[in-house]
C-alpha cells in the first residue's frame, strides 16, 4: 500500500469520526430525564428550523446561530421543580455545547437590555445544579427590564402556579425570530419584537398559547392568549407534533381559557 493511499484512508476515518460526533451532539434527546413515569414516552419537542437541537440536563433547546439565541426552549415543569430555595445567583456562562458558538454574555453590557431567561431559574429550583444550568447564554434573550420584570415575570409565575395545581406541564417558550430585527453587541444578538409561551397539560387535554409584544404592560395575561396555530404561523414551528392529528388541530385552534384557572 502506497503512503498516499494510506493517508487517504486515515483521513477518511477522521472525517467520518468527526461527522458522527457532530451529528450525535446535535441530535435531540426525545425523553427528558426528569419526566414522571406517567409522561415518559411522549415526545414533547416541537419541530425546529435550525437543525441545531441540544439536550441539557433539564431542558432542550433549538439554537439559531443567525439570531444568537434559542428559537425555543422546551421542558417539563413539575411541582417538585418549584421550591422556595434561596440559591446564590450564579454568573452567566457561555454555553460551550453550541457547536457554532453561543453568544457571549458581554454582548449585553451597556446594551440597555436584560438577559431574559427562556427556561426561568425559578422553574429549576429542584437542585442548585438545575438552577445554575439556566444561567447559560444559550438560554437567554435580550429583554427590556420593564418587560422582563413585569408581564413576562407575571406569566412565568402563573405557569408555576398551574404546574403546582396540575403536577406537571409541558412548556415551550422563545422569542419570535424574524429577519431585520434590532441587534445588540459585537455578535449581533437579535432583539425579538414578540415572545411566546405554549403550554400543554400532562394528560394532553388542554393547551394554551401566549403571544406578548416586547413592551411593558399592565394588562391581564388572558388578553394575550392566542390560538397556538397563530404562533406556528409566525415562527414556522410545529408545537407538539406527536399529538394525534385531530386532537392537535382542536387544541391549537382554540383560544379559550375557561379550563385554566386565572
Amino acid at each position: 500500500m502506497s503512503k498516499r493511499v494510506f493517508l487517504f484512508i486515515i483521513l477518511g476515518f477522521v472525517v467520518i469520526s468527526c461527522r458522527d460526533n457532530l451529528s450525535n451532539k446535535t441530535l435531540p434527546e426525545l425523553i427528558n430525564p426528569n419526566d414522571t413515569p406517567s409522561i415518559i414516552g411522549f415526545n414533547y419537542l416541537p419541530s425546529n428550523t435550525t437543525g441545531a437541537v441540544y439536550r441539557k440536563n433539564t431542558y432542550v433547546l433549538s439554537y439559531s446561530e443567525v439570531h444568537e439565541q434559542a428559537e425555543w426552549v422546551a421542558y417539563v415543569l413539575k411541582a417538585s421543580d418549584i421550591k422556595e430555595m434561596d440559591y446564590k445567583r450564579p454568573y452567566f456562562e457561555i454555553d460551550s455545547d453550541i457547536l457554532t458558538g453561543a453568544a457571549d454574555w458581554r454582548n449585553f453590557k451597556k446594551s440597555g437590555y436584560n438577559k431574559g431567561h427562556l427556561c426561568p431559574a425559578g422553574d429549576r429550583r429542584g437542585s442548585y445544579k438545575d438552577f445554575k444550568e439556566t444561567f447559560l447564554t444559550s438560554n437567554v434573550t435580550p429583554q427590556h427590564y420593564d418587560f422582563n420584570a413585569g408581564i413576562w415575570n407575571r406569566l412565568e409565575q402563573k405557569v408555576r402556579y398551574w404546574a403546582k395545581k396540575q403536577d406537571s406541564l409541558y412548556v415551550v417558550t422563545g422569542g419570535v425570530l424574524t429577519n431585520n430585527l434590532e441587534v445588540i453587541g459585537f455578535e449581533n444578538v437579535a432583539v425579538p419584537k414578540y415572545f411566546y409561551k405554549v403550554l400543554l397539560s400532562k394528560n394532553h387535554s388542554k393547551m394554551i398559547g401566549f403571544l406578548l409584544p416586547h413592551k411593558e404592560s399592565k394588562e391581564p395575561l388572558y388578553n394575550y392568549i392566542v390560538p397556538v396555530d397563530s404562533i406556528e404561523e409566525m415562527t414556522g414551528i410545529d408545537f407538539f407534533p406527536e399529538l394525534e392529528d385531530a386532537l392537535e388541530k382542536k387544541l391549537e385552534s382554540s383560544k379559550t381559557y375557561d379550563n385554566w384557572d386565572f
Side-chain angles (χ1 to χ4, degrees):
M1 181 185 298
S2 70
K3 184 176 182 180
R4 176 175 294 183
V5 172
F6 178 76
L7 288 175
F8 274 121
I9 292 173
I10 294 299
L11 180 61
F13 278 120
V14 171
V15 170
I16 292 171
S17 177
C18 290
R19 182 191 63 194
D20 289 345
N21 286 338
L22 292 179
S23 175
N24 289 337
K25 199 165 187 178
T26 57
L27 284 174
E29 296 283 348
L30 301 185
I31 302 300
N32 188 302
N34 289 328
D35 285 356
T36 56
S38 60
I39 46 182
I40 283 179
F42 174 62
N43 174 11
Y44 60 91
L45 299 184
S47 67
N48 71 88
T49 69
T50 69
V53 177
Y54 297 85
R55 175 181 179 170
K56 316 310 284 183
N57 287 327
T58 64
Y59 60 89
V60 182
L61 65 92
S62 171
Y63 197 80
S64 174
E65 176 62 24
V66 174
H67 300 94
E68 287 291 7
Q69 64 196 275
E71 66 170 345
W72 52 255
V73 171
Y75 56 98
V76 176
L77 179 59
K78 300 181 297 179
S80 59
D81 295 319
I82 308 164
K83 298 180 179 179
E84 296 299 324
M85 303 297 292
D86 188 22
Y87 292 133
K88 180 180 178 181
R89 186 179 176 89
Y91 292 109
F92 282 94
E93 296 180 3
I94 301 171
D95 188 347
S96 60
D97 286 345
I98 306 300
L99 298 177
T100 52
D104 193 304
W105 57 267
R106 296 173 184 85
N107 287 288
F108 290 80
K109 293 185 69 174
K110 299 181 180 180
S111 69
Y113 290 93
N114 282 14
K115 304 178 193 74
H117 282 81
L118 294 175
C119 177
D123 286 6
R124 287 292 176 255
R125 291 185 180 272
S127 72
Y128 183 69
K129 179 181 177 181
D130 295 347
F131 181 78
K132 185 178 179 180
E133 190 179 51
T134 67
F135 288 83
L136 294 174
T137 55
S138 57
N139 184 46
V140 300
T141 180
Q143 291 184 338
H144 291 295
Y145 171 79
D146 289 340
F147 174 82
N148 179 263
I151 191 168
W152 189 246
N153 180 55
R154 282 198 283 134
L155 178 56
E156 290 174 341
Q157 291 186 41
K158 181 61 72 174
V159 172
R160 286 192 280 273
Y161 168 75
W162 285 327
K164 284 182 177 180
K165 292 198 68 173
Q166 302 178 33
D167 179 54
S168 296
L169 283 176
Y170 298 104
V171 183
V172 185
T173 188
V176 177
L177 303 181
T178 58
N179 297 327
N180 303 316
L181 292 173
E182 177 190 349
V183 296
I184 62 169
F186 56 92
E187 291 178 306
N188 295 327
V189 181
V191 181
K193 295 180 180 178
Y194 294 88
F195 290 92
Y196 66 85
K197 282 189 185 291
V198 180
L199 312 175
L200 177 67
S201 62
K202 183 175 70 172
N203 62 5
H204 309 169
S205 65
K206 57 184 181 179
M207 183 187 298
I208 194 168
F210 294 87
L211 182 67
L212 279 63
H214 188 186
K215 61 182 181 180
E216 181 183 10
S217 174
K218 304 295 184 183
E219 293 187 35
L221 288 169
Y222 51 73
N223 283 0
Y224 295 100
I225 296 172
V226 299
V228 174
D229 282 339
S230 65
I231 303 176
E232 291 184 332
E233 290 175 9
M234 293 181 70
T235 61
I237 297 167
D238 183 7
F239 297 97
F240 304 112
E242 291 296 308
L243 290 175
E244 190 273 328
D245 288 345
L247 176 61
E248 182 182 8
K249 183 177 180 180
K250 175 185 176 182
L251 294 176
E252 291 184 350
S253 62
S254 172
K255 61 175 293 186
T256 182
Y257 58 89
D258 293 342
N259 50 1
W260 294 86
D261 184 7
F262 276 88

